[in-house]
Structures are given as structure tokens and as C-alpha cells.
Amino acid sequence: MTGDAATPATHQDQRLRQARRVVIGSYAALIVLLCLGGWLLKSQHQVGWGPILVRLLPLVLLLPSLLTRRPRGHLWLAFVSLLYLMQGVMIASLPDKLWLGGLEIAAAAVLCVASALYARWRGRQLRS
């Protein structure tokens, strides 16, 4: 009988670990894409490092919550990732930037869903 009771907890821990891996992977992918897009902007239009730093600032500010695995921080990360989703749509509408915008849309959408799921499941785990 104890094996049956442990199964849902084990399944919940497994889902939580998987969501965490997806959050970390999509977070890293989004940072790489933002740096790449900023570098392309810098090389084409002779702008400074300001646009790159402004794009990265919201993600960097949420890094402590991500590292400490706080559910509320992951929920805020889900909300902030929607800004990057909108930015990806705008970039995809530019000539010759469909690939960059599409990748940013994908990374931001995956980050939004995975961080929201992680926040929900981690919150349940902490309450029980």
C-alpha cells in the first residue's frame, strides 16, 4: 500500500524536474537569441551595447528567483516571457529576420508555459 502512495509523489517530482530542465533550457536559449539579435543590430546599425543590455535586463533580474526555485519568481518569468514573445513577433515582421523572430517566439512560448507549470507544481509541492 505504501508503494501506491509514493507513486504520485514520485510522478510529481519527475514532472517538476522535467519542467525545471525545460525552463533552464528555454531561458538559456532566449538569452542566446537576444544576444545574437543585439549583436546583429550592433553590427548593422552601429549602435552601442545599450539595446542588448535593455533586452537582457528583465531576464537577469529574475535570475535569483530562478536559481532559488521560487514559484512566484517563475510565475513572473512566465509573464515577462510574454514581452519577448511580442518582441519576436515584431522581429519576425522585419525583412530577412523571420528566422530570428521565429526562434525567439518559440523560446519565449516554451519558457512561458514551462515556467508557469513549474510555478504551479512547485507551489503544490511546498504546500503539501
Side-chain angles (χ1 to χ4, degrees):
M1 193 78 169
T2 58
D4 293 335
T7 304
T10 305
H11 179 66
Q12 183 181 15
D13 292 340
Q14 183 180 7
R15 286 189 314 182
L16 198 61
R17 282 193 302 272
Q18 186 177 15
R20 175 100 172 126
R21 283 193 298 267
V22 173
V23 166
I24 297 295
S26 57
Y27 182 87
L30 190 57
I31 286 180
V32 167
L33 288 169
L34 291 172
C35 289
L36 177 65
W39 180 74
L40 288 173
L41 182 68
K42 184 176 175 7
S43 67
Q44 291 175 352
H45 299 290
Q46 302 298 327
V47 296
W49 291 102
I52 297 172
L53 296 176
V54 167
R55 288 185 199 184
L56 290 175
L57 184 64
L59 289 178
V60 172
L61 288 175
L62 290 169
L63 186 60
S65 292
L66 188 70
L67 294 176
T68 56
R69 302 175 183 205
R70 284 183 266 180
R72 187 173 292 175
H74 281 77
L75 196 56
W76 276 105
L77 184 61
F79 293 140
V80 167
S81 67
L82 294 176
L83 297 172
Y84 294 105
L85 190 122
M86 290 185 286
Q87 176 180 294
V89 170
M90 290 182 359
I91 289 173
S93 68
L94 296 173
D96 299 329
K97 296 284 192 270
L98 178 64
W99 64 273
L100 182 62
L103 289 174
E104 190 169 329
I105 290 168
V110 169
L111 181 61
C112 179
V113 171
S115 58
L117 286 174
Y118 180 84
R120 180 179 177 151
W121 294 334
R122 180 73 172 151
R124 283 183 183 173
Q125 183 186 48
L126 290 176
R127 274 184 252 126
S128 60

